[in-house]
Amino acid sequence: MSSTLLEVTRAAHEDVERLERLIARELQREAENNRDRLFQNHRVRHMIDLVISTTDKLVYIYEDEDNARKDEIAALGGQGANGLFSAFYERLKEIRDYHRRHPAARVVDATEDYEELLKEEPHIEFSGEEAFGRYLDMHELYNEYINSKFGALMEYTAYLDSFSQTSNIPFNLKLTRQYREYLEHILEYLISFLERTQPLQDLERIFSKLENEFDEQWADGKVPGWENNDLENGHASQESVIDLDYYNTVEELMEVGPEKLKEALVALGLKVGGTIQQRAERLFLTKHTPLDQIDRKHFVKGSRTLVQNGAPVQSGSKKAIALMEAKMQRLCEVLKETIIQTKENVEKKQALTYEEMEAEREEEEIQADTESDDEEQQIYNPLKLPMGWDGKPIPYWLYKLHGLGQEFKCEICGNHSYWGRRAYERHFKEWRHQHGMRCLGIPNTKNFNEITSIQEAKELWERIQERQGLNKWRPDLEEEYEDREGNIYNKKTYADLQRQGLI
């Protein structure tokens, strides 16, 4: 017996109502810990997706583009009283025939299937560094950043602070393919992390609102970091324009300087490489030749230039790149607390020994199903004591014993602060101080312990070099050799006598 369209519609409405009741029931249940809350949110997200798909099916049925629903309603009505009853008995006959052919058929209760949704444990993949959604794992993106042309060498913790701040990246490097791919990778990871940790977050609504605001700001030239981007609006910025009417030869144009020529070439979408003469020749081409008639080999790969009212317009991917930056910054606002916790976790791990990290990992595994996040949030810490390896404030007596309220600054480490005498003494052997000493060209020996000033380190190194120059051991003159007769010679004399065959 095939289901009628009206029966499908009724069942769909029933499914939607049942799912709504299950969602309400699930949300009323208080989660025991972070893991349970995450599973709860994913179960609710799955049920919401089922409601959306079922509702889409209902909308399609009610639109009735093929008039199937209208025809079925007309067939149920029949024509007159006789037609109505004949249609009813025909349906009843079909139902009886079906159960006669399938006597063992049982009634399927859809409620049982939906109750299983509340018991399932969703499979969510996290890396070890993410600690089941507590922290971000941006090591791959960090390596991509520091190994790129637009990036800079920095620590991982500094990268977590600054990866969302794109204002320090030069404008010409933002238009490269490498930077665009980097932004795509960041967006892909942040969206994936948000979907895994906050499945009830409506990303589509967030991005829709953001894009509307972005379009208005872009039209007004008020997008942060892109305020002077006048090329997209149809005219080059005044700073980058060179009036070629004042120059009659390439040699005269070369007097402008390489940087000014580079800015003018970037504004036109032309290549900026080569010597100053090659730059001037490339720019001088535009004096008598329209941009659309210049050989494509002179343009940057991937850039397309148009001409509107005699002014060059670069219609590339600038708006798309600016939009990706805006999306990344909005996602960072949503994940602000997670980013802060990630940085704190990385700094804490740098101060732990291997044994302490293993103990922390084992304790987290044991307490993952029993410890509630509410208890962690209610930790009373009015003195703002440092957190121990167990995630709780250390005792105050231990804080005083180690002098953690005492700050030591090291100029060689870039004025980095070390709290407590122990951390201060240990840092002389750590990578940050060693890197600072290498930059100064000074060996990091015991002679330089307790030296934190760059000037003092340089003065001490000069004194050591002077002392080594006066008291330097000279093996040719001071190394002693003895012949068979017991005579003592220095190395140089012994070698000379031996060559002459005298000894």
Side-chain angles (χ1 to χ4, degrees), residues 130-193:
E130 289 174 333
F132 211 79
R134 292 171 62 188
Y135 312 116
L136 292 168
D137 182 7
M138 303 191 69
H139 287 85
E140 289 187 10
L141 297 167
Y142 165 70
N143 290 330
E144 184 178 352
Y145 176 80
I146 63 175
N147 291 302
S148 63
K149 292 182 179 179
F150 55 83
L153 287 175
M154 60 175 64
E155 298 179 31
Y156 181 57
T157 52
Y159 173 75
L160 290 173
D161 272 337
S162 62
F163 77 91
S164 61
Q165 302 167 6
T166 58
S167 57
N168 56 343
I169 299 176
F171 180 74
N172 59 329
L173 294 179
K174 287 187 177 183
L175 303 180
T176 59
R177 179 180 178 183
Q178 188 182 33
Y179 181 69
R180 184 188 182 108
E181 291 178 350
Y182 167 73
L183 285 179
E184 290 174 352
H185 294 160
I186 283 188
L187 278 178
E188 181 181 354
Y189 174 73
L190 293 180
I191 291 173
S192 169
F193 184 83

Side-chain angles (χ1 to χ4, degrees), residues 72-89:
E72 186 168 332
I73 292 174
L76 283 175
Q79 295 179 355
N82 294 331
L84 180 62
F85 282 108
S86 62
F88 169 77
Y89 284 113

Side-chain angles (χ1 to χ4, degrees), residues 308-482:
Q308 288 182 355
N309 302 324
V313 180
Q314 188 177 12
S315 59
S317 57
K318 290 191 295 181
K319 185 176 180 181
I321 292 173
L323 179 58
M324 283 193 288
E325 288 183 352
K327 286 183 177 180
M328 177 186 67
Q329 291 164 359
R330 182 61 59 85
L331 290 175
C332 289
E333 292 175 6
V334 176
L335 294 170
K336 183 179 178 180
E337 291 298 324
T338 306
I339 294 173
I340 293 174
Q341 291 174 5
T342 303
K343 184 185 173 185
E344 292 176 351
N345 180 58
V346 172
E347 291 176 343
K348 184 178 73 173
K349 281 188 174 181
Q350 290 176 350
L352 297 180
T353 63
Y354 175 76
E355 291 77 12
E356 289 173 335
M357 285 191 288
E358 284 297 308
E360 181 181 15
R361 183 184 61 79
E362 290 175 3
E363 184 154 347
E364 283 181 354
E365 290 179 356
I366 294 172
Q367 297 182 354
D369 297 327
T370 59
E371 193 175 47
S372 173
D373 278 355
D374 295 335
E375 294 176 0
E376 294 179 3
Q377 293 172 4
Q378 295 173 3
I379 291 176
Y380 184 67
N381 189 16
L383 298 178
K384 298 183 179 179
L385 300 174
M387 304 303 264
W389 62 269
D390 57 353
K392 298 179 181 179
I394 64 173
Y396 185 72
W397 65 265
L398 188 62
Y399 174 84
K400 297 293 290 183
L401 177 66
H402 291 288
L404 297 180
Q406 189 176 6
E407 181 182 13
F408 297 89
K409 283 195 174 183
C410 180
E411 187 180 4
I412 296 174
C413 296
N415 289 322
H416 189 79
S417 296
Y418 296 92
W419 295 91
R421 184 73 191 177
R422 182 186 177 191
Y424 171 71
E425 291 175 353
R426 285 172 53 186
H427 100 276
F428 289 102
K429 297 180 181 179
E430 293 175 349
W431 66 270
R432 191 197 305 272
H433 192 84
Q434 291 175 353
H435 176 70
M437 295 293 282
R438 279 197 299 270
C439 292
L440 296 175
I442 302 174
N444 189 28
T445 61
K446 290 184 178 180
N447 296 325
F448 295 90
N449 278 4
E450 304 293 328
I451 301 293
T452 58
S453 170
I454 293 176
Q455 185 62 32
E456 291 178 5
K458 288 181 177 179
E459 291 173 357
L460 179 58
W461 177 235
E462 288 174 2
R463 290 199 298 270
I464 291 174
Q465 286 180 317
E466 290 174 2
R467 188 165 59 248
Q468 287 179 346
L470 294 176
N471 303 321
K472 191 175 181 181
W473 183 59
R474 294 167 294 179
D476 290 341
L477 300 177
E478 298 177 6
E479 190 173 1
E480 295 181 344
Y481 286 79
E482 183 180 354

Side-chain angles (χ1 to χ4, degrees), residues 218 229-235 313-319:
W218 185 265
N229 178 29
D230 298 327
L231 292 174
E232 197 73 32
N233 297 329
H235 55 279
V313 180
Q314 188 177 12
S315 59
S317 57
K318 290 191 295 181
K319 185 176 180 181

Side-chain angles (χ1 to χ4, degrees), residues 56-286:
D56 290 340
K57 183 168 66 174
L58 283 171
V59 170
Y60 176 76
I61 292 174
Y62 283 123
E63 286 177 350
D64 199 21
E65 295 179 356
D66 55 356
N67 292 324
R69 182 170 180 272
K70 183 179 179 181
D71 294 343
E72 186 168 332
I73 292 174
L76 283 175
Q79 295 179 355
N82 294 331
L84 180 62
F85 282 108
S86 62
F88 169 77
Y89 284 113
E90 284 178 7
R91 286 295 178 85
L92 181 61
K93 183 181 179 182
E94 289 179 5
I95 293 172
R96 287 176 175 173
D97 289 342
Y98 174 81
H99 286 286
R100 193 179 298 112
R101 290 195 304 270
H102 304 89
R106 68 182 185 87
V107 178
V108 178
D109 187 3
T111 308
E112 296 178 3
D113 297 334
Y114 286 113
E115 289 289 343
E116 292 297 323
L117 294 175
L118 299 179
K119 300 177 183 178
E120 68 177 7
E121 189 171 292
H123 177 66
I124 314 166
E125 292 186 358
F126 290 105
S127 67
E129 188 72 19
E130 289 174 333
F132 211 79
R134 292 171 62 188
Y135 312 116
L136 292 168
D137 182 7
M138 303 191 69
H139 287 85
E140 289 187 10
L141 297 167
Y142 165 70
N143 290 330
E144 184 178 352
Y145 176 80
I146 63 175
N147 291 302
S148 63
K149 292 182 179 179
F150 55 83
L153 287 175
M154 60 175 64
E155 298 179 31
Y156 181 57
T157 52
Y159 173 75
L160 290 173
D161 272 337
S162 62
F163 77 91
S164 61
Q165 302 167 6
T166 58
S167 57
N168 56 343
I169 299 176
F171 180 74
N172 59 329
L173 294 179
K174 287 187 177 183
L175 303 180
T176 59
R177 179 180 178 183
Q178 188 182 33
Y179 181 69
R180 184 188 182 108
E181 291 178 350
Y182 167 73
L183 285 179
E184 290 174 352
H185 294 160
I186 283 188
L187 278 178
E188 181 181 354
Y189 174 73
L190 293 180
I191 291 173
S192 169
F193 184 83
L194 203 61
E195 288 176 344
R196 286 178 290 150
T197 57
Q198 301 181 31
L200 299 182
Q201 191 75 256
D202 192 350
L203 282 176
E204 186 177 347
R205 182 179 179 183
I206 292 175
F207 286 153
S208 176
K209 182 179 178 182
L210 172 67
E211 288 171 4
N212 293 334
E213 295 174 355
F214 177 82
D215 288 337
E216 295 178 2
Q217 292 178 345
W218 185 265
D220 298 336
K222 295 180 180 179
V223 176
W226 300 78
E227 294 89 348
N228 297 325
N229 178 29
D230 298 327
L231 292 174
E232 197 73 32
N233 297 329
H235 55 279
S237 61
Q238 295 298 325
E239 293 79 3
S240 60
V241 170
I242 295 178
D243 192 350
L244 297 178
D245 292 338
Y246 293 101
Y247 304 95
N248 298 318
T249 63
V250 174
E251 288 72 17
E252 292 179 4
L253 191 56
M254 289 170 60
E255 296 178 359
V256 172
E259 293 302 321
K260 190 70 175 176
L261 289 172
K262 181 179 179 180
E263 292 177 3
L265 290 169
V266 169
L268 297 173
L270 297 170
K271 293 181 178 179
V272 297
T275 63
I276 184 173
Q277 182 176 356
Q278 291 172 333
R279 291 182 183 181
E281 290 174 352
R282 200 176 297 124
L283 183 60
F284 198 74
L285 287 173
T286 63

